[in-house]
Amino acid sequence: MSSGILNEIKTLIWKEVTLEWRQKYALSGMLLYVISTVFVCYLSFNLRRNQLTPIVWNTLFWIIILFTAVNAIAKSFSQERYGRLLYYYSLCSPQSIIISKIIYNSLIMLLLSGMGFVFYSFVMGNAIGDMGLFVLCLFLAAIGFASVLTLVAGIASKADNSATLMAVLSFPIILPMLLMTIKLAKNAMDGLDWSVSTDEISTLLSIDLIVITLSYLLFPYLWRS
């Protein structure tokens, strides 16, 4: 990656941060969504505490994170106006645009996932046996969700019914990633040795790298259209 592309990526990421800081409502809305969803889950299970098993605790948390990712990243490209996209087309390379979007959305997901986990643990209780492994799982999952949904959002933005297309395209990739994430998080909850989770860690890491590489290679063809 040349220095020119790196400079473009830095500039585009700073642009995203500046716009987010000016608007604020998008990130605030996502935080409100996470907090309200966790609180509703707390009210639902407060009357039936014997049903909140570790498996339910784990699955419920990752479903909340997944829907948060979809809501946070779905508008990555659709919210960009046509004039702004044309301006980007004349100034930046498509590789810089997709990589900057992935990095920014990954940072947003890491922030939302971290704050969501803190609030979720505070309200629903902390059932994690190995915090280090769970944090690694949270890190890989956040980057994976962000990279997959960013690429799919870029593809879906070229269609009329982008929301439906995004759901159809992301489902085959997100589902196995979600299942692998839940399994790895369950190992962290049980406090198992890291050697037991080698396959899950390598699989999630491989998916992240493959999706980012494909985004870098294929997005220029999408951008030209």
Side-chain angles (χ1 to χ4, degrees), residues 39-53 56-57 60 120 124:
F39 189 68
V40 169
C41 294
Y42 167 74
L43 295 178
S44 301
F45 284 95
N46 190 37
L47 300 177
R48 302 177 180 179
R49 285 196 172 274
N50 58 333
Q51 293 187 4
L52 188 61
T53 61
V56 175
W57 187 99
L60 189 62
Y120 188 82
M124 307 291 284

Side-chain angles (χ1 to χ4, degrees), residues 171-187:
F171 181 77
I173 307 175
I174 288 294
L175 183 59
M177 182 182 297
L178 180 63
L179 295 176
M180 196 66 61
T181 300
I182 292 175
K183 186 176 180 181
L184 179 58
K186 183 61 170 59
N187 293 344

